[in-house]
Amino acid sequence: MQIEDIRNICVVGSGSMGHQIAMLCALGGFETTIQDLEERALQNAEAKLHGIMDKWVQKGKISEEKKAEAFGRLTFTTSLEEAASGADFIIEAIVEKLDAKRDVFAKLDGIAPPHAVLASNSSTIVNSLIAEVTNRPDQVCNMHFFFPPLVMDCVEVVMSEQTSEETAQLAMDVCKKIGRTGVLLRKEISGFVANRILGALSREAVALYEEGIADFEDIDTICKKALNHPMGPFELMDLSGIDVAYYVSAQRFAETGDPADKPAACVEEKVNAGTLGRKTGKGWYEYKQPEGAKA
Ligand SMILES: NC(=O)c1ccc[n+]([C@@H]2O[C@H](COP(=O)([O-])OP(=O)(O)OC[C@H]3O[C@@H](n4cnc5c(N)ncnc54)[C@H](O)[C@@H]3O)[C@@H](O)[C@H]2O)c1
């Protein structure tokens, strides 16, 4: 298969990542179907996308006509069958839990046409762990977008030992067509490159906070003012979702058994309290109203 053969893309999961990935695909000219278990999640996704795209029109980033065309290519459904049965390329963006992803991939393998590529947007789970439930491990890869996908340019495209060159090339070509810079990683490692580096920084920041060396606001200020980071590690956790940081650590701990990878107590506390960052109006910081990132 070549990029010209990809007409229909299915995005599974319409949360923080999925709805914006689907919009990118529709803007890139693909007929795109976005699927979620929850009707309400789909309604939220659609409303948020209209809000973002209206702002793009106001700012002159896109014409009213192009916006309408893109929405004309975007379909919302709760039916996986409807979303995946005609798809040439599928991007999964559901909750960061291995069992849930394996379950979806097994279903997709049964529903999607034999030629379809199955990509996971997981932040950390290598595709070989997911591909083994399918009969097409050569057509499985990771496509790791960054939050918020309508703003962040990079996508890590990750191969397993079984991912074919054709699959990797198609994923890279999809990135190009939707205006994103794909970086191809030929060796899979949990967390890939960006999140391994970010994880090291975040672990140290949380350890310094938990040991009482510095307050989280001061750690953020030092990272911004001394290291020139655009955002401190705690601000970034609030932006991405503290639950996402928690699941990423929990998944890595499940894989390595290394106590250093265990989710930090202060992060677990926030997840248990439901204070997950910007999306809930409170995380490390307080926000006037729950909001997604401004895209
Ligand atoms: N949030 C980030 O910063 C970020 C960045 C990069 C990658 N990711 C990855 O993207 C994926 C999604 O993260 P998110 O932040 O969008 O999560 P989210 O919780 O905002 O959204 C997940 C969505 O998936 C839906 N869902 C759950 N199980 C499903 C199923 N079986 N079938 C269909 N839909 C299902 C939920 O209803 C929800 O709407 C995760 O793998 C995460 O690691 C997240």
Side-chain angles (χ1 to χ4, degrees), residues 93-115:
I94 68 161
V95 61
E96 185 74 348
K97 289 184 179 164
L98 179 59
D99 288 349
K101 291 193 189 287
R102 285 165 69 103
D103 184 46
V104 162
F105 270 68
K107 286 185 184 140
L108 287 172
D109 192 38
I111 299 171
H115 67 268

Side-chain angles (χ1 to χ4, degrees), residues 39 92 146:
E39 184 63 48
E92 164 275 315
F146 293 84

Side-chain angles (χ1 to χ4, degrees), residues 24-36:
L24 277 176
C25 295
L27 288 166
F30 296 106
E31 294 296 327
T32 307
T33 308
I34 180 161
Q35 185 268 350
D36 201 289

Side-chain angles (χ1 to χ4, degrees), residues 12-18 21 35-38 41 80 92-97 100-101 103-104 107 120-124 144-147 195 239-241 243-244 248 279:
V12 184
S14 68
S16 308
M17 297 298 292
I21 295 171
Q35 185 268 350
D36 201 289
L37 295 175
E38 310 272 343
L80 194 62
E92 164 275 315
I94 68 161
V95 61
E96 185 74 348
K97 289 184 179 164
K101 291 193 189 287
D103 184 46
V104 162
K107 286 185 184 140
S120 173
N121 176 51
S122 171
S123 306
T124 182
H144 180 212
F145 290 77
F146 293 84
F147 182 78
N195 277 344
L239 181 68
S240 314
D243 52 335
V244 174
V248 166
K279 61 184 169 188

